[in-house]
Amino acid sequence: MRWRGLSGVLSSQACTLSANRLLTVAVPWLVLDRTGSAAQTGLVVACQVLPYAFTQWLAGPLLDRIGPRRISATGDITSASVLVIPALFGTPPLWLLTLMLLVVGCADGPASAAKRLLVPFAAADAGQSTVRGVGLATAVERTATAAGTAMAGWLVATLGGDRALWVAAAMLGVATLIVTMTVTDPVRDRGRDDESYFDRLRTGTAFLRAHSPLRALTAMFVVTNLLDQALMAVLLPVWARAGGHDATVVGLALSTVGLASIASALASAGFGARLPRRATYLIGVLSSGPTRIIVLALGLPPEAVIAVYALAGIGSGLFNPLLETIQVELIPAALRGRVQTLITAWAWAGIPVGGLVGAVLLNFGGLTTALWLCGLAYLAAVLRPAWKMDWSLPVTPAPAAPLTITLAPVAVRRRVPAQRR
């Protein structure tokens, strides 16, 4: 019974993430099949993706006040209800499909944030460390990305885009049922009676603004996500074509990253709490970040690139659970909804312009110059938190009671050696 809540959260995440991966394949295929227009396809897909981070941030005060369990269930059942429209009323027109996906995007953001918030609480109820719970959640995410996308292709090919939406709706319905039956809400922050929604939103913003280590992590997320998008959308495909390689090399490199990250995330769940934090961070970010770009700039053969990408996957699965754990430790439990969703919103801010940045660098400097500039910028971004944070001193969360707009710095205490991570 101790593992019931954690197993429920992880199972619900698996269903939701698989449904999302199914939509990423089914929706573009459905719109292209119906219209033949790449522009309309991009517009419909954007309507689902763009609200994701913004609605997470807006839901932050509600996550802290109402509780993540209810938000998760409400978001998933809303998305499921919208996606069954084709089953009930037939193939929708394009405008209705666009509206459906806009609602799904708005509901999915808060629901995903809610499950993320539930992981550390469920891990504690199971008697497990935060890093173990987060490591398992990371492994579930990477597995859903790899297996869910493959399943999506098979379903669209065999059932068609419309019926694939039904399968996604069924997965989201199962996710709602699992959370409702297995997960309990953590103790919620009721706040002051006179505290408005916008007051609570400003409280989260003030906490992040006053917290230098979290600001350093957030800045790193913004820059690295932008550069990752530049690599994925522009630089990696151009490198492959310039070298006379086909899309198989790109697909193999990316799948290698995914599979390796699953294994290392499971390893992090097993013994990540015993690893030295600064060394784990540096090894993880240096192997998974700038090396993926610099290996392309060096003009190495595809075999070497795939080997480096395998190492990148291992590093990614190690340091992502660590950074998630550190956020849990640095943010008081009563503020996590507001602060973590704000960090996510900032982290997504660079993604829409990443492809544009890659294209601009490519046009002005050529492929090699663009790769070196992105690789060096990535290196600078990931090194900054290494000296901005005191990795040797885990931070004990501040008590939830004295929450005001004016926030004192988080207290730092040295733990006994047996608990040091």
Side-chain angles (χ1 to χ4, degrees):
M1 294 296 292
R2 295 178 65 195
W3 279 78
R4 180 183 179 186
L6 183 57
S7 300
V9 173
L10 296 176
S11 300
S12 177
Q13 280 186 318
C15 292
T16 303
L17 291 168
S18 298
N20 289 337
R21 301 308 181 263
L22 177 54
L23 291 177
T24 61
V25 175
V27 170
W29 191 271
L30 183 63
V31 178
L32 273 175
D33 186 56
R34 185 176 304 174
T35 66
S37 170
Q40 292 186 24
T41 301
L43 177 62
V44 173
V45 172
C47 287
Q48 179 192 351
V49 174
L50 290 178
Y52 180 83
F54 185 68
T55 54
Q56 277 198 38
W57 172 58
L58 293 179
L62 302 179
L63 287 166
D64 290 331
R65 187 69 179 261
I66 299 174
R69 175 176 174 267
R70 295 182 184 181
I71 299 295
S72 174
T74 301
D76 287 342
I77 198 62
T78 299
S79 297
S81 301
V82 169
L83 291 174
V84 298
I85 290 178
L88 299 176
F89 303 105
T91 303
L94 188 61
W95 69 265
L96 181 57
L97 180 62
T98 304
L99 182 61
M100 287 168 49
L101 292 171
L102 181 64
V103 174
V104 169
C106 291
D108 182 45
S112 298
K115 294 181 184 65
R116 179 186 176 192
L117 292 176
L118 284 169
V119 168
F121 292 110
D125 288 342
Q128 304 299 315
S129 64
T130 299
V131 69
R132 176 162 294 179
V134 173
L136 292 173
T138 302
V140 167
E141 177 188 358
R142 304 303 167 86
T143 304
T145 299
T149 306
M151 179 189 68
W154 177 78
L155 286 172
V156 171
T158 56
L159 301 179
D162 285 336
R163 294 183 179 179
L165 298 183
W166 308 352
V167 177
M171 290 179 178
L172 292 167
V174 172
T176 305
L177 188 63
I178 291 173
V179 165
T180 303
M181 296 180 63
T182 63
V183 177
T184 57
D185 258 329
V187 177
R188 297 190 292 276
D189 168 37
R190 297 295 182 183
R192 304 191 314 269
D193 292 337
D194 61 342
E195 191 176 23
S196 69
Y197 166 85
F198 292 104
D199 289 336
R200 298 172 67 84
L201 203 62
R202 285 192 291 269
T203 301
T205 303
F207 182 88
L208 180 59
R209 186 186 301 120
H211 205 295
S212 178
L214 284 176
R215 290 204 317 270
L217 285 180
T218 304
M220 187 265 287
F221 293 148
V222 174
V223 175
T224 55
N225 281 348
L226 183 151
L227 295 174
D228 281 333
Q229 182 66 13
L231 175 67
M232 300 288 294
V234 178
L235 300 180
L236 185 58
V238 171
W239 167 84
R241 294 192 64 180
H245 314 301
D246 57 21
T248 305
V249 174
V250 175
L252 185 57
L254 297 180
S255 62
T256 301
V257 172
L259 293 175
S261 66
I262 295 171
S264 61
L266 291 174
S268 178
F271 55 83
R274 299 194 294 271
L275 296 175
R277 289 188 163 192
R278 189 192 299 270
T280 301
Y281 170 77
L282 286 173
I283 292 172
V285 296
L286 293 178
S287 63
S288 65
T291 53
R292 289 180 299 121
I293 305 175
I294 293 175
V295 70
L296 303 179
L298 293 174
L300 298 181
E303 296 80 8
V305 171
I306 292 171
V308 170
Y309 273 58
L311 293 175
I314 294 174
S316 174
L318 284 177
F319 88 88
N320 276 305
L322 171 62
L323 295 184
E324 185 77 15
T325 301
I326 288 174
Q327 291 178 63
V328 171
E329 292 174 349
L330 293 177
I331 304 170
L335 280 172
R336 284 181 196 158
R338 282 162 278 183
V339 179
Q340 286 191 304
T341 54
L342 179 58
I343 292 174
T344 299
W346 274 110
W348 276 63
I351 294 178
V353 299
L356 178 61
V357 170
V360 170
L361 292 175
L362 190 64
N363 289 333
F364 281 93
L367 177 60
T368 302
T369 300
L371 288 170
W372 276 112
L373 288 175
C374 289
L376 293 175
Y378 210 120
L379 180 63
V382 299
L383 286 179
R384 185 169 182 265
W387 58 266
K388 288 289 290 184
M389 301 178 61
D390 188 353
W391 299 86
S392 63
L393 294 174
V395 178
T396 302
L403 291 180
T404 59
I405 297 296
T406 302
L407 295 165
V410 178
V412 179
R413 291 190 311 185
R414 183 182 297 275
R415 294 181 177 178
V416 296
Q419 294 177 326
R420 185 174 298 166
R421 295 175 183 170

